[in-house]
Amino acid sequence: MSANHPAHEVTIGAASQIPTPRLSWSDGQHQRRKAQSALATSVISSLERSGKWAKWQQVEPRLAGFASLEEAREGWRRRDERCYQVVAGLTALGSRRGGDDDDAALAAAVLLEEGVNRVAMTLTDVCEIDDVNATVWEEVKGAEPQVDCHAATYLLRRTRQRLSRPAAGMVSRVATTSLDARTETNNSLVLGSHTDGAGRSDQDRDLILAGPDVEDPVEDLADLLTWAREVGVIDTEEIDLLIELLAAENDGMAREEAQRVVGERRGVAMRTIRRRRDRTAARLRDAAPKYLAAIA
């Protein structure tokens, strides 16, 4: 953190490194709310003592509608649309390329407490509420000061993406993968029937593309996707999405669970992942005659 000394010190990663007993949903929710309340109380009290909110209002007109952070916090709970502008204003004040005020970055995290809680619930296996608050703070510090009323969505999406990456110091539930990586390691990307670790057969996995029988389905899939990429049917990002979904399913996840987890990693909703997958699969099916002719 910079030399402005934020009102409440937050650290990232430390909590996630210490194994703790799994809490029930209600107990976990209670602890998250308690931690958020403590952070909000600390930041609000510090701003009242320093008079910073009034000073910020003089240079950032988007804060003018609320007399304090506490009032803005109540407005957010009422779904007051002006609060989206307040988040944008605090981001401009907190960004290193803007006002570079650490307290403003913390105030943004406090205002986004509901979204922070949702992210913490979604990633409960890999991080704690303090990790999420700290990451929101970092995202504010690195944001463009010209960010608009979509700042809240942007900050929470970026936070979720960062915490989902192994580079963030967290352990992701599904490892990222790609066509080249899966081909090189020759992991089992078997399309069609699947047997999990308990020996249960799953016949409910539809083929991305109905093709002829082959001795090596991994090699055949790799050839198909490589051809599709080279001729422009689909791009590398779409291929990586398909491979990641297939890897998750073949690691034992149900299809919807795989789509949800991959969506969390990429910072989008499960329905968006499903839509992208279906769109890509449709293009592959349409290109099937050309592919079969090319390998004939």
Side-chain angles (χ1 to χ4, degrees):
M1 295 185 181
S2 68
N4 290 334
H5 301 298
H8 181 87
E9 187 76 15
V10 287
T11 58
I12 183 166
S16 63
Q17 305 302 316
I18 302 174
T20 55
R22 182 179 295 276
L23 298 172
S24 68
W25 184 90
S26 59
D27 287 342
Q29 180 78 336
H30 175 71
Q31 287 200 6
R32 285 188 290 269
R33 293 295 187 190
K34 185 177 180 180
Q36 287 178 306
S37 177
L39 175 63
T41 299
S42 175
V43 175
I44 289 171
S45 297
S46 177
L47 294 181
E48 288 178 350
R49 291 193 303 269
S50 66
K52 266 194 171 184
W53 188 269
K55 296 175 183 176
W56 289 342
Q57 287 180 319
Q58 295 175 9
V59 297
E60 180 48 72
R62 287 174 287 192
L63 274 59
F66 300 94
S68 64
L69 175 60
E70 185 172 17
E71 188 175 307
R73 189 169 172 239
E74 291 299 323
W76 186 273
R77 290 173 175 172
R78 298 193 307 270
R79 300 296 188 268
D80 190 327
E81 292 187 357
R82 294 177 298 170
C83 291
Y84 291 104
Q85 294 292 346
V86 175
V87 175
L90 289 172
T91 301
L93 290 166
S95 170
R96 294 186 182 93
R97 288 168 284 183
D100 197 19
D101 191 310
D102 289 350
D103 288 339
L106 271 177
V110 168
L111 204 55
L112 294 175
E113 61 186 350
E114 290 184 2
V116 166
N117 190 43
R118 287 195 300 271
V119 172
M121 289 173 61
T122 301
L123 301 178
T124 186
D125 290 343
V126 296
C127 66
E128 303 291 342
I129 192 72
D130 288 345
D131 299 312
V132 184
N133 279 318
T135 307
V136 170
W137 185 91
E138 290 288 353
E139 290 300 333
V140 173
K141 299 302 295 182
E144 290 284 350
Q146 296 84 12
V147 67
D148 59 14
C149 62
H150 299 290
T153 300
Y154 168 82
L155 293 169
L156 292 171
R157 183 177 65 244
R158 290 278 301 174
T159 294
R160 185 168 57 246
Q161 290 172 336
R162 178 184 287 205
L163 289 173
S164 297
R165 298 185 189 123
M170 308 302 170
V171 179
S172 179
R173 285 170 289 172
V174 176
T176 54
T177 188
S178 66
L179 173 61
D180 293 337
R182 295 297 285 194
T183 301
E184 288 175 3
T185 57
N186 199 28
N187 286 327
S188 298
L189 295 177
V190 179
L191 301 179
S193 65
H194 171 75
T195 302
D196 62 19
R200 294 184 294 265
S201 179
D202 181 3
Q203 300 292 338
D204 189 34
R205 301 180 189 277
D206 64 332
L207 297 175
I208 288 181
L209 174 67
D213 292 336
V214 293
E215 294 182 0
D216 188 346
V218 178
E219 183 178 349
D220 186 61
L221 175 62
D223 288 345
L224 164 62
L225 296 179
T226 300
W227 171 86
R229 179 175 58 191
E230 290 176 350
V231 301
V233 173
I234 55 178
D235 59 30
T236 299
E237 184 177 353
E238 292 169 319
I239 290 174
D240 288 348
L241 174 61
L242 291 180
I243 295 295
E244 192 170 346
L245 288 168
L246 285 169
E249 289 191 46
N250 280 277
D251 284 342
M253 282 191 181
R255 176 169 302 150
E256 286 195 358
E257 174 68 5
Q259 292 171 352
R260 183 182 67 80
V261 171
V262 172
E264 291 169 6
R265 173 187 299 285
R266 293 167 176 256
V268 297
M270 184 177 72
R271 63 179 178 274
T272 302
I273 293 294
R274 184 185 299 118
R275 184 169 59 249
R276 291 177 181 174
R277 174 195 182 278
D278 292 346
R279 186 170 58 238
T280 302
R283 287 206 291 270
L284 285 172
R285 292 190 184 97
D286 291 343
K290 292 182 180 179
Y291 171 67
L292 295 175
I295 65 173

